[in-house]
Structure formats: C-alpha cells, structure tokens
Amino acid sequence: MTAVDDRPSTEIGSARRRKEDQRLITGRTKWTDNIQLPGMLHLAMVRSPFAHATITSIDTEAAKGSPNVVAVFTHDDIADIQGVNITAWPITPDQKSPDHLPMPKDRVSHTGEIVAVVVARSAAAARDAAELVDVDYDELPAVLDLKEAAKDEVLAQPHLGTNKSAFWQLDSKAGGTGGDVEEAIAKAREGGIVIEREYRQQRLIPAFMEPRSTVVDPTGEQVVMWTATQAPHVLRFCIAATTGLPESKIRVIAPDVGGGFGGKLQSTPEEFITLAVARKLGKPAKYTETRSESMVSAHHGRDQWQKLTLSAEKDGTVTGLKVELLADLGAYAALVGGGVPVLGAWMFNAIYKFPAYQFNTTNYYTNKTWVDAYRGAGRPEATYAIERLMDELAVEVGVDPLEIREKNWIKHDEFPFTTVAGMTYDSGNYEAATEKAKELFGYDELRAEQKRRRDAGDPVQLGIGVSTFTEMCGLAPSRVLGSLNYGAGGWESASIRMLATGTVEVVTGASAHGQGHETAWSQIVADRLGVPFENVEVLHGDTQIAPKGMDTYGSRSLVVGGEALVRAADKVIEKAKPIAAHMLEASVDDLEFEGGRFSVKGTDKGVGISDVALATFAAHDYPEGLEPSIDADATFDPVNFSFPHGTHLCAMEVDTETGATTMRKYVCVDDIGTIINPLIVEGQVHGGLVQGIAQALWEGAEYDEQGTLVSGSFVDYTLPTTADTISFITDHTTSPATSNSLGTKGVGEAGTIASTPAVVNAIVDAIRHLGVDDVTMPCTPERVWKAIQSGGGTTDAAPVADAQPHFDEAAPNQDPAAGTTDGAAQ
C-alpha cells in the first residue's frame, strides 16, 4: 500500500476554473477536421447497405471519371498496407476472432462496413462520387438477435462454424474465495429465498459531440497522423504491429478531442484506410465522418442479456449469487470488446458480502456494429443487475430497500475487505455516504408522501429508487491484466521539465478528451513543487512529445497518471536538493523543502526551486559529479485498482394513465477519495448522471429485421437535452484510496454506473403495487404503460420463465473446461 500524503495543500481541493476551457469554448483550438495541409486530398467511404452479404463485383469507373476525383480504391488496391483492427484482449486461449480488415475483400458482416474509398480534391466531390460506385451484393442470412445467435442456426461469421466467441467463468469455490454457489442456491430452495430475474442491457451509441476525423501526412521522414482518439499510444502500436511501418516512423497526434466516452478508444477502419490511401498516393489525406456514419459504424456499447439467481436466508442475509450473461460483440471482436463483460465479473457482488459466487459470460457474434467499451465498460451492467435484484430481495423480505442493503454491505470497520470475487477493497464507508444521501434527499418525507399518494389512488404515483454502488477503476495493475491475457500493461508515465525561466513543462501519457487534465495536473505539480499554478504547462496527446503512455479510459488518468506525476515531482525535488545545498553552502541533510523553497533548517537561508532550475541551466557553479539537469521521469504501475463508491437516490413520478415519467429529485453522494478540483468533479458527476439516466429513459440502438440501424440519427436516437433533466444535488464523503499517495479513486464513470438502476428502481417502485416488477430499458412512456396494463413483468421481452430455455440452448457451447479462468485476477 502507498502512504497517503496528508500535508496541507493550497492547490489540492481548490475549485480552479479549467485552463483549457477558454480555447475550447471560444473555438480557438484545433480539432482534427480544422487541419488543412498543402495538397491534401479528401476521402469518402462507400458502405454496405446490407448486414450480411457477399460482394460479387465493384464497378468504380463512373466514380473515377467524376470531377476532381483522384482515385477509387477497393480491398485489392490496399490489401498489402491496410493493416488489421486487432483484438487486444482474447479472454480465453480458444476465443474465436474473425480477422477484422479495415476493408474486407468479398463479404460484409454488418451494415455500414466499408467496401471502397473515393479520393478527391474536396470532401464534397468525394461524397458525390461515392454515390457512383456500383457494388453488387448477394445478400446472406443475418443473425441480429442475441438469443438467436446462441442457437447457431444462422452464422454471423460462417467460416468460424459458430457464433460463439468464448465462454469465461469466475467461480468462488474453484478460486478459493468462497463457497459453492449451487449448494447455496439448493439450500435456499429448501428453506430460504431464491430470486431469479432476467434483465436486458440495451445497445447504446456513445454519441460523442465531435465526429471522428483523421488526417495523415506521409510526406516527411515520419508518417504523421492527427486523429480524434482517446488512445494515441495504443493506436500507434496497432498501426506498427499490423501495417509493417516501423513504430519509430509513426507519429500519432490527438489534438483537442470533442468527447469519447470509450467510443474513440479503437483503432478504426477509417484510420487505417486514411493511412493506406495517403501512403499509396504519397499525399496528405483527410477523412471526417458524417453524423449518420458515426452512428452506424463507430462502435456501440452494452448489449447483454443477464440472468441472475440470488439466494438468501429468510431474513434477507444473502448466501449466493450466480450470474449468466449472453453478450453481443457485434460482427467482430473489438480491441477490448470481448473483455468488457469480463470486467463486470468482479462487480456483480458489488458492496455485498456474498459467501458464494459464480460469474459466467458467453460472447456471441451477430451481424451488427461491433461492440466495445462505453463509459463504465462492464461495471454499469453489473451494478444495474445487482441493484435491481437487491430491490427484489427487499420486496421478498418485506423491508425497505436501504435496510436490505445495509444488512448485507461491508461495514466501514471491515476495510480492507477481500470480496468473494477475489478483489480487495482498500477503503470505504457506505454508511456515511448513505446517511448523507438520505438527509439531502429527505428520504423519510418522500416515503411518507409516496404512501399518501398510494392510499389516495393518485393517478400519478411516486417511486423512490436506490443505487448503492462501488466500482473498480484506475484500470492498471499490469500483472493482473497479464493474468487475464490482456495485451498491454496498465502503467502510466509522466515527465517534468524545469525550465530556466521558472516555468514547468509537464508531459503526461494520459491523453485528455474533455476531462480537465491540464488544470488538475497543473494543480498537482503546483502543489508538489510550490510553483505558481499559472506557470505549469501540460503537454499530452502527441506520441513524439509524450513518447510513453497508456492513454485515457477506465477512470485511470488521475489514479494512475496523477501518481506518476507526483513521483516525477518528488524526483525533481530530490535531484534539486544537492544543487540547492551547494548554492546555500550547506549539507544536503540540513535542507528541508516546503512551498517551493529549499531552506537550511533553523535559519532563514533559502533558495527557490526555480532559482535552482536557472542555476542548473547555466551550470556555471555546479557540484562535481552531478549532471546539469533536475528534470525527471516516472512510470507508475499500481498494485491494485481503486474503488470509488456512493449512494444515489432518485424520486420519479409515474402517470399510471399514460406511462409518462418525470424526475422529481435526484441526490448522489459519492466517495471518490481525495478531490483535486471540485469543479471538475462536479462536471464529471453531472455528465455521468445524464448518460446513465439516458440509458434508463431514452437511449437505445434499434435494428430492423434486415439489419438496418433505424435509430441512426438524433431524430430517432433520443439523447437528452438540458430541458429533459433536472438540477441534481451532489455531495461527497471521503475515504482516501491507499493505492496512491494522493488518495484519489477516480470519478469519470461513477455517475453513469450508479444512476441507471436508481432511475429504473424508482419507476418500478412507483408501480409495483400494480403488479409490475420490471420495465425494459429505455423506460419509454409506451413501455411503462404496457407494463401497467399487463399487470407485471418485463415489457418488450420474454418473461423470465420463457427466457430460461434460451440460456439452456446455449449451454452445449458453454464448456466450463474450455477457457475457464476461475478467478485469474485474484
């Protein structure tokens, strides 16, 4: 464990306005699509209108003859240099992963897959000519339903012989972290409580503000790619690993990036194709997607069926939890797509002391857009299911939902606590967060109002939803990732350059796309080195300026990258100390450092660290045997994840006559450890809440029977606006993490993880007395109304009793002896 630094700070915890906002808000920045290079060509992609088809011919002559068109390329024209979209996380040795070529040769596997690219002197000319490319297809049967995919009657990738990609299991008995879940369930059937439920995690679209864009310049000694990405270092590796270009000859730059939410984590077909075209023609090339292209071909998120079986004693003490997932990967195994369900394996047990646990996921291919990480990645899915299930347990026992949670959660004096899934939660206080949330929410008063409305038969009923959550974030420990066959490490790197003029350059491998890194990193360095906040410049997002990094996802930037920064700053101080001692004609042992100044103990003699930097730059009077530099690098690889937690409470009003829902009140109290900047935290929480609430109420990617995305624009894919949400009440408690010296835990995904079940629990709570125990997300007025009319159960989905055989039919493919890890990350 790392000792938490508890010294007083003037910067840590200060609500500073973000440095980067001035240029972002005023538009005085450079998005990828703003980049213009001499002689630059523009690309338009020709995409398949079919979900599954054989390409029989492609006629490009009309397009080639179109005004201002330079070239039209198909697979054969760039096959030797186009590369491959790789899978970085094969979750089992026998995982089936079809090759994901940026441009396939003879078969398309999802609507929107690229079959040709038109290159022209303007974007408009390229788009016009793309309409003239004549492609003949022989349409093939497509599998579009996840449960149908499990039957293997229609194959999304026929050459694999099955739709199953992999089966993965974590079992507490096999892993030595708990008991036998089947025994726990069997015992509960005889004299306790057994609850079985099936939940649907719908498919979502990240819908970032800035569409993806890529510019490639191949004309220099290096190939330079500017691209709207979350992961420039990962992308550089993927290009080098699959195209034959030496890594040293590739420079990837992520300029200001307008949001990602996981949706810009990939190496994408469009990036590879733009690179191939630029290399082929020897000229700069640009591709910027339209919004409709982004919706259909940028990767999607979620898309699971979840079956849970919970066992408990009669008083509600939980005894076992069994989880069975069917996960839709779409047409291909994405960069970490197969591992996203696996990330939930350690979170379904949540904050509760389950004695026995088993997690199973079977991943399948369908002829839909590929699925990968979306804000929360595996943890929202887990939190949703267990928090819905705990409400069901409370109903069965006949107690308040908060009471059943408190009965089973880990108490604050039990930390550190090793869970049944093998994770060690280092710190937390669920009691404190819940008590504060109840007070801010007015929990007892709202319960009383709910009873009055119910007794009066009010057509508008009030429901109260609870979500008490924890999550594993700071995706990092490299040895753990290695044990799971993850293709990269989880460390992060930082450098500090002390400039002669008194300013400081910070180089970080964590690349921002809206999180406020420049501000928070400046605060950390200003605090550690005692230099003015304004004198710190943060550089990132360029593999030549920041050559080492593992990038930004999984709420890891501050927890991992921030600690690397702290360690680099401490190295600067240690390197500066002998030089300061020389300047002060004192012993190193007699020096102390505080507030940016070295001083001789017991005297008023001192020198500032900026003065040391200038003296080092000049090197005129320098200690013998020391190199003239106090710059420092550090790479941090933590030994554990971090575990933020919180309590979210939501009050929803439901019109029982129309199904319309209205949010009355939302309160969340999160424990994210030490807070660097409260303004940034508030923004992250608010944004996360809206995304999680949107899954509960509005969002859903829908396909028709032919595999066409019918929610392929913002007309049909309903994102919330400020008019659709309310003012949230947010607060925090603090139990510092012990895995880093700052005590930080991560906040980027917390709101999204916790809010979805809080909202759905509130809706169900409002109409449970009418026989409803679930509403399938998104909980539109139509679905809510249908649930009320049917008097119970899920809507737009088979009830649990009917759904069970679908899991059973998949069972022959679920061979526990093949690809089972049994708690490999313990």
Side-chain angles (χ1 to χ4, degrees):
M1 294 295 181
T2 301
V4 176
D5 185 356
D6 58 359
R7 63 197 178 93
S9 169
T10 58
E11 283 294 342
I12 303 299
S14 296
R16 282 194 175 273
R17 292 187 177 183
R18 302 198 325 175
K19 283 185 172 184
E20 48 271 73
D21 282 355
Q22 179 65 26
R23 70 174 190 272
L24 296 174
I25 293 171
T26 61
R28 295 175 181 174
T29 187
K30 185 169 282 188
W31 312 105
T32 303
D33 193 42
N34 297 142
I35 294 170
Q36 302 293 330
L37 301 177
M40 186 170 69
L41 301 173
H42 297 263
L43 277 57
M45 305 299 172
V46 180
R47 298 180 182 273
S48 168
F50 297 108
H52 198 197
T54 300
I55 305 168
T56 58
S57 67
I58 303 178
D59 185 349
T60 62
E61 291 306 309
K64 288 178 178 177
S66 188
N68 289 312
V69 169
V70 174
V72 181
F73 296 130
T74 62
H75 169 273
D76 290 344
D77 300 310
I78 61 172
D80 57 334
I81 59 172
Q82 73 167 329
V84 179
N85 291 284
I86 66 174
T87 297
W89 193 355
I91 60 173
T92 63
D94 63 344
Q95 174 175 305
K96 294 183 181 296
S97 302
D99 288 340
H100 187 184
L101 299 177
M103 193 184 296
K105 179 177 176 62
D106 52 18
R107 185 173 58 85
V108 293
S109 299
H110 67 88
T111 303
E113 190 158 17
I114 301 166
V115 297
V117 57
V118 176
V119 188
R121 293 184 177 88
S122 72
R127 286 194 295 269
D128 289 344
E131 298 290 331
L132 302 177
V133 176
D134 187 10
V135 186
D136 281 337
Y137 300 92
D138 281 342
E139 193 171 1
L140 297 170
V143 58
L144 302 165
D145 179 85
L146 178 53
K147 290 186 176 180
E148 290 300 313
K151 298 177 182 178
D152 273 349
E153 293 175 356
V154 177
L155 300 181
Q157 301 285 354
H159 62 290
L160 296 182
T162 177
N163 289 321
K164 177 191 168 189
S165 174
F167 169 77
W168 191 95
Q169 182 184 81
L170 187 151
D171 184 270
S172 63
K173 181 181 179 182
T177 58
D180 187 316
V181 75
E182 299 293 355
E183 288 183 5
I185 294 170
K187 183 178 179 181
R189 290 193 191 281
E190 294 176 358
I193 296 170
V194 176
I195 297 174
E196 295 178 281
R197 292 290 186 272
E198 186 174 332
Y199 299 121
R200 177 73 169 128
Q201 283 281 325
Q202 77 268 41
R203 179 174 281 244
L204 301 173
I205 298 174
F208 30 73
M209 185 178 292
E210 175 206 21
R212 298 173 303 161
S213 181
T214 300
V215 174
V216 177
D217 184 357
T219 60
E221 288 296 315
Q222 288 181 308
V223 174
V224 183
M225 175 185 284
W226 293 263
T227 187
T229 181
Q230 297 176 222
H233 298 91
V234 171
L235 176 57
R236 183 192 192 203
F237 172 84
C238 293
I239 292 169
T242 66
T243 65
L245 271 173
E247 192 170 358
S248 62
K249 295 296 184 182
I250 305 165
R251 180 182 182 184
V252 177
I253 302 170
D256 282 324
V257 176
F261 313 116
K264 293 176 181 172
L265 180 60
Q266 294 294 331
S267 59
T268 68
E270 293 85 355
E271 287 165 331
F272 278 115
I273 291 170
T274 306
L275 173 65
V277 168
R279 292 177 67 195
K280 192 85 173 175
L281 298 177
K283 293 184 177 181
K286 177 195 282 187
Y287 169 74
T288 300
E289 68 185 2
T290 64
R291 179 61 68 184
S292 59
E293 285 181 297
S294 180
M295 301 287 277
V296 75
S297 63
H299 82 248
H300 295 171
R302 312 283 194 261
D303 207 343
Q304 294 180 359
W305 278 102
Q306 307 171 311
K307 180 186 173 187
L308 283 83
T309 305
L310 181 147
S311 62
E313 297 174 4
K314 282 292 188 182
D315 67 353
T317 301
V318 295
T319 60
L321 178 66
K322 182 177 181 180
V323 178
E324 298 169 272
L325 301 186
L326 304 182
D328 189 341
L329 301 184
Y332 298 103
L335 190 70
V336 295
V340 167
V342 172
L343 285 173
W346 297 278
M347 289 290 101
F348 274 90
N349 53 286
I351 66 174
Y352 308 113
K353 295 183 285 189
F354 283 97
Y357 174 62
Q358 187 185 88
F359 170 91
N360 308 274
T361 183
T362 312
N363 298 346
Y364 292 97
Y365 295 112
T366 62
N367 294 116
K368 293 186 285 188
T369 301
W370 34 315
V371 170
D372 207 333
Y374 171 62
R375 196 172 192 173
R379 290 100 77 205
E381 296 92 314
T383 300
Y384 178 83
I386 189 60
E387 288 304 289
R388 291 285 297 110
L389 205 58
M390 292 305 286
D391 262 28
E392 298 302 305
L393 179 59
V395 171
E396 186 70 25
V397 177
V399 298
D400 186 89
L402 280 174
E403 184 179 335
I404 204 71
R405 287 165 169 82
E406 183 175 6
K407 184 180 190 65
N408 289 289
W409 69 34
I410 303 158
K411 305 299 188 290
H412 73 275
D413 56 2
E414 295 178 295
F415 289 95
F417 185 91
T418 300
T419 73
V420 71
M423 280 287 175
T424 299
Y425 297 172
D426 62 332
S427 68
N429 192 327
Y430 310 140
E431 301 98 311
T434 301
E435 192 57 39
K436 181 176 279 193
K438 283 183 65 178
E439 182 180 345
L440 292 170
F441 191 67
Y443 190 86
D444 294 337
E445 293 85 348
L446 284 169
R447 282 291 183 201
E449 180 184 343
Q450 179 188 45
K451 185 177 185 305
R452 289 196 299 272
R453 287 196 187 193
R454 192 157 295 178
D455 291 344
D458 194 323
V460 179
Q461 288 289 308
L462 178 65
I464 296 170
V466 175
S467 176
T468 50
F469 84 104
T470 190
E471 61 143 328
M472 50 182 276
C473 68
L475 187 66
S478 295
R479 291 187 180 184
V480 173
L481 297 178
S483 72
L484 294 170
N485 205 35
Y486 186 79
W491 48 265
E492 194 49 82
S493 181
S495 301
I496 295 178
R497 304 169 184 163
M498 302 299 295
L499 305 184
T501 53
T503 56
V504 181
E505 281 184 344
V506 171
V507 179
T508 175
S511 177
H513 47 281
Q515 293 89 343
H517 289 181
E518 293 175 34
T519 303
W521 271 226
S522 295
Q523 289 181 261
I524 292 169
V525 171
D527 172 75
R528 210 74 180 183
L529 297 181
V531 298
F533 169 82
E534 295 76 15
N535 285 4
V536 183
E537 185 76 17
V538 179
L539 308 176
H540 61 88
D542 183 335
T543 61
Q544 190 146 295
I545 293 172
K548 292 178 62 179
M550 290 306 299
D551 303 316
T552 300
Y553 40 85
S555 298
R556 69 186 302 276
S557 296
L558 180 59
V559 175
V560 188
E563 180 64 17
L565 197 59
V566 168
R567 295 185 178 211
D570 289 347
K571 287 183 180 180
V572 167
I573 295 168
E574 289 304 308
K575 290 180 74 172
K577 190 174 289 184
I579 304 164
H582 181 78
M583 295 170 69
L584 294 169
E585 299 179 333
S587 167
V588 169
D589 295 336
D590 290 336
L591 291 192
E592 56 188 8
F593 181 77
E594 186 176 351
R597 187 173 176 81
F598 293 98
S599 58
V600 181
K601 297 174 184 176
T603 76
D604 58 359
K605 291 176 62 177
V607 62
I609 196 167
S610 296
D611 297 320
V612 177
L614 178 59
T616 303
F617 169 77
H620 294 161
D621 180 14
Y622 207 75
E624 293 290 337
L626 290 183
E627 63 176 16
S629 171
I630 59 172
D631 297 347
D633 305 329
T635 300
F636 175 60
D637 193 349
V639 297
N640 195 8
F641 299 93
S642 69
F643 300 95
H645 69 82
T647 298
H648 289 226
L649 301 174
C650 175
M652 295 290 295
E653 293 181 337
V654 178
D655 189 326
T656 59
E657 296 175 347
T658 66
T661 61
T662 303
M663 186 171 289
R664 165 85 171 271
K665 193 171 188 178
Y666 197 102
V667 167
C668 66
V669 175
D670 291 310
D671 187 330
I672 58 168
T674 303
I675 292 175
I676 305 299
N677 185 315
L679 280 181
I680 291 176
V681 167
E682 190 81 355
Q684 288 278 16
V685 170
H686 277 244
L689 290 177
V690 172
Q691 277 187 282
I693 292 167
Q695 177 177 4
L697 296 179
W698 298 296
E699 292 187 40
E702 301 291 341
Y703 286 83
D704 66 15
E705 293 180 355
Q706 286 72 47
T708 300
L709 182 69
V710 295
S711 55
S713 76
F714 288 157
V715 173
D716 302 295
Y717 189 85
T718 48
L719 291 176
T721 68
T722 53
D724 300 306
T725 58
I726 65 171
S727 294
F728 310 120
I729 300 172
T730 65
D731 208 330
H732 68 274
T733 55
T734 302
S735 48
T738 61
S739 56
N740 63 83
S741 64
L742 289 170
T744 57
K745 292 185 177 181
V747 69
E749 296 163 300
T752 305
I753 291 169
S755 58
T756 309
V759 174
V760 178
N761 278 341
I763 291 171
V764 173
D765 185 58
I767 55 178
R768 188 181 289 276
H769 66 293
L770 301 176
V772 178
D773 67 4
D774 193 26
V775 180
T776 303
M777 297 186 293
C779 300
T780 60
E782 180 184 11
R783 287 182 171 180
V784 174
W785 183 84
K786 284 182 176 180
I788 294 169
Q789 298 310 305
S790 66
T794 56
T795 58
D796 293 357
V800 174
D802 295 335
Q804 171 66 29
H806 293 287
F807 280 87
D808 289 343
E809 287 163 9
N813 292 329
Q814 297 177 350
D815 179 8
T820 300
T821 63
D822 290 336
Q826 293 163 15

